[in-house]
Structures are given as C-alpha cells and as structure tokens.
Amino acid sequence: MAILTLTINGEQVSGKDDESLLKIARQHEIHIPTLCHLDGLSDVGACRLCLVEIEGQSKLFPACTTKPQEGMVVRTDTERLKRHRRTIVELLASEGNHQCAVCVVNNHCELQDLAYEVGLQYVRFPYLYPKKELDATHKSFVLDRNRCVLCTRCVRVCHEVEGAHTWDIAGRGIDCTIVADMNQPWGTSPSCTSCGKCVRVCPTGALFEKGQTVAEMEKQRDFLKYIVTARTKREWVAEETEE
Amino acid sequence: MKPRVATVWLGGCSGCHMSFLDMDERLIELADKIELVYSPIADVKHFPKDVDVTLVEGAVSNVENEEMARIIRRNSKFVLSFGDCATTGNVTAMRNQFSPDEIMHRAYVELADGDPTIPSEFTTIAKLLPQAKPLHEVIKVDGFLHGCPPTPDQIWFAVSELLAGRTPELPNVYLRYG
C-alpha cells in the first residue's frame, strides 16, 4: 500500500493506492453523486452516475471502480459530467415506471433525490412504459420491478453480507430483471432467509415491506456499516481461552 | 390590460385545480391581477384566442385531450405543465401497460355494477389514445410545475413569476415529484 497525491477539482489530495477515487473524494468532502454504490458493499460501476474526467483521457471513468495514480488530475463537476448525469437519470426514469405519487418510498427515494440534484424538470426521452412484474409472494416483503433501477445492491448485499445469494440478474439490456434463485417466486425461494437486508439497501421503492402505504417506508441503512465493521474487527468471534 | 390566464384539465384527477383553489385568500388578489378566460371552474365553452398563460393539468390521454392540447398551444403565449401528470404522465400513465381495449373492458364490463356495456362508438366518452403521454410529448411546453399536486405556495410562486413577466425558475425547494 502506498500513499499517492492527486488533484481533484484543483485541490491537492492524498489517498491510498488501493482506494477508489470515490472514496478519496469523499474523504476530502468532495461530493460525487452515486446510486449503485453503498458503503460496505463491493463496487460494480453499474449506474455510471459517479463518472469523472481524468486529464489526458478522452473517456469518462466511474469514480467508484477507478484507482488513483500519482499526479492524476481529476474533475468531478464539469458541465459535460453534469449533462451526462442528468441524461442518466432521465434514461432511468424513461426506462422504468417511476410514479412517485403512488410509491411507498416517495420522499425517501435515492433516485428521486438524484433527480432533484441534477435539476430534472422533465424527461426529454419518450417514456417506454415496460410491462414489469410485481412479486408479492414473500410473506413480509414485495419486489416491484417497476421501480427497479438494476443497481444490484440487493444482489450484492445478499451475496456478500448475508451469504445467501438469493438474488441475481436475468436477461439482457432492457429485459434485465432481478430474479430470486432459479427465477421463481420470491416466496418459494429456499435460499432466502427473510433477513430483509435487500429491502434496506434498495435505493428506490423496488423492494419494500408489506403493509407500507404511500410515502411511509424509510430505508434504514445503518445496519450494514454495523455488520461490516463488526466482521472486519471480528467483534463476534469469541476470544480463545488459554488452557 | 390584465394578463389573460387559462387553466385546463386534461387526463388528471383535478387535484392540481383543487390545490389551485387552496391558494385561498390569495385568489382574491389574483382575481384583481388577471382575467381568467378559460377554466374548469368557469363556464366557458371554447378555448379563447390570445391567452397569455395557460396552466395545463393532466396527461394527454384521449383524442379530445390531444386536440385540446393543440388548440392551447396555438392560442397561448406560455404553456405551463401543471403537476406531475402533465409533466411525467404519473398516475394517469399507469394504464400504459395495458391496451385501450383491456382498459375499457376492465372499467365498463368487469367493474360494472349493472349493465356491463362499453360505450358504443365512443359517442359519450372520447376515444383513448394508445398511451397517455406527458404534455411535452405532444406540444411544446414552456415551463413545468411539479408535484402531485403542486402545493398552493408553488402555484402562487409560479403564477406570480409569470405575471411579472418572468419564466418561473422554481427554486430547488419547489422541485419535487409526487
């Protein structure tokens, strides 16, 4: 592990060579919008909202999966990036069925927050109104694919933290969808432990608790940091007693 | 001459107009400043010419809405998408996952209390478009007012700005969906 010095938005910062640009930026209180990233889960660069410009490179890089290099010059707030971020949010809106007015996480939704952040007045692309299925077969939770943005947080938390790997992605392109086990109703999944971690990490109203009404469900994400920290520090492992 | 203002109700629930009326005593102030030339709350049969500002509630859902949208555009200097249905399609567009035939069957046959009949030839109700669309997909829109419905404060702000001759640049606190 080495300490590197780089420049973000004209400010000289330092970070470890195994940290992502996103992590380094956040350590220095430089805001980069994200959707698929969640502290405690691996990064996959799926949503592309954290794209940054790197001097000397023509293409854009996702800050969550890009490692720093000595002397790197990074910009996170150019007009080009703002334009791209707004377009990404617009495409997410047009490709799903996001009716805020009837969503259980209205006013508690990360996609909605992002739309406000990028100043989304209207969507320039035609809405596609895809026909997506809702799975309410689980006794406690509901999967509403209409609200899913395919960030895969649920897939990752189930695999990496809970260890069940109930969730996965099936299909390609616009037909991509979240599936439980062998693409079966969630309620019949033998691997699901009903822990609810996927519900807690979902940024939108795609996963929610049964019995919640409009604008009622607030996601509590603190548990993830608690579990991941405890595991790292082996807080739950009993000390071996000397014989 | 006072600015000529119109409000129109397309494919929506009238919630935005209810919110408009919730401006309460500010309506009296508004009535002094504008001439309301067309609205569901005024008995005017035809959309007039030379309108300065038109607030359009609801998505474009049927052929009548579509025709009205074009008339509004022709006759208005400034068209404001009024609320989430006009801006995003919102709840009105939830029917877009089904065909108009399926929707008519559901509404007039499956859910009928008696006499399950689909109105013939669409003589009493306007023919549904294949999909309900936000207003800007049908006509050019000059401004957007979000919310389901927008709050009276938002409406007051937007209308006041327009009457002052400015395009309402809503502060982020007023940018909200749902």
Side-chain angles (χ1 to χ4, degrees), chain A residues 107-159:
Chain A
N107 298 323
H108 310 297
C109 169
E110 290 182 44
L111 180 64
Q112 199 180 43
D113 292 342
L114 278 168
Y116 297 153
E117 188 182 333
V118 300
L120 189 69
Q121 289 286 336
Y122 71 103
V123 174
R124 290 168 296 172
F125 310 110
Y127 287 89
L128 300 179
Y129 308 112
K131 201 158 186 167
K132 300 210 172 175
E133 287 178 1
L134 183 141
D135 185 344
T137 55
H138 193 282
K139 64 181 189 303
S140 310
F141 312 119
V142 181
L143 165 63
D144 184 355
R145 294 184 175 90
N146 291 290
R147 317 257 184 256
C148 180
V149 289
L150 295 165
C151 67
T152 70
R153 281 188 191 178
C154 55
V155 177
R156 285 175 283 150
V157 80
C158 188
H159 174 67

Side-chain angles (χ1 to χ4, degrees), chain B:
Chain B
M1 205 172 86
K2 290 178 184 176
R4 290 162 60 81
V5 175
T7 75
V8 181
W9 176 14
L10 302 181
C13 69
S14 183
C16 299
H17 274 86
M18 294 296 129
S19 205
F20 186 88
L21 294 176
D22 276 346
M23 286 197 288
D24 300 331
E25 70 272 12
R26 285 175 288 192
L27 286 172
I28 298 165
E29 197 182 322
L30 192 63
D32 281 340
K33 289 183 179 169
I34 65 164
E35 188 188 347
L36 189 68
V37 291
Y38 185 91
S39 174
I41 56 170
D43 189 16
V44 183
K45 303 295 178 208
H46 299 288
F47 193 86
K49 288 193 162 55
D50 300 324
V51 180
D52 291 302
V53 176
T54 304
L55 275 59
V56 185
E57 173 190 339
V60 180
S61 191
N62 59 37
V63 290
E64 219 171 77
N65 295 159
E66 197 175 32
E67 192 188 340
M68 187 63 177
R70 296 195 198 290
I71 294 170
I72 292 165
R73 185 66 273 180
R74 268 202 306 277
N75 296 359
S76 313
K77 288 196 186 85
F78 192 98
V79 176
L80 184 78
S81 261
F82 183 27
D84 275 358
C85 287
T87 306
T88 70
N90 200 30
V91 173
T92 311
M94 287 174 79
R95 65 112 158 150
N96 289 352
Q97 301 199 16
F98 308 95
S99 70
D101 284 346
E102 285 174 291
I103 293 157
M104 296 301 280
H105 193 267
R106 175 76 179 154
Y108 289 97
V109 178
E110 288 172 46
L111 297 176
D113 291 328
D115 187 23
T117 312
I118 295 176
S120 62
E121 308 273 320
F122 302 103
T123 47
T124 51
I125 55 164
K127 186 178 178 181
L128 288 178
L129 292 172
Q131 291 194 321
K133 300 176 200 167
L135 189 62
H136 66 264
E137 284 190 22
V138 179
I139 58 168
K140 182 180 167 288
V141 170
D142 305 303
F144 298 86
L145 189 52
H146 300 271
C148 181
T151 63
D153 285 346
Q154 279 174 287
I155 301 169
W156 176 248
F157 176 84
V159 172
S160 303
E161 286 290 286
L162 285 168
L163 295 182
R166 293 187 289 265
T167 302
E169 297 266 341
L170 292 175
N172 255 1
V173 65
Y174 285 152
L175 181 58
R176 64 173 193 113
Y177 321 114

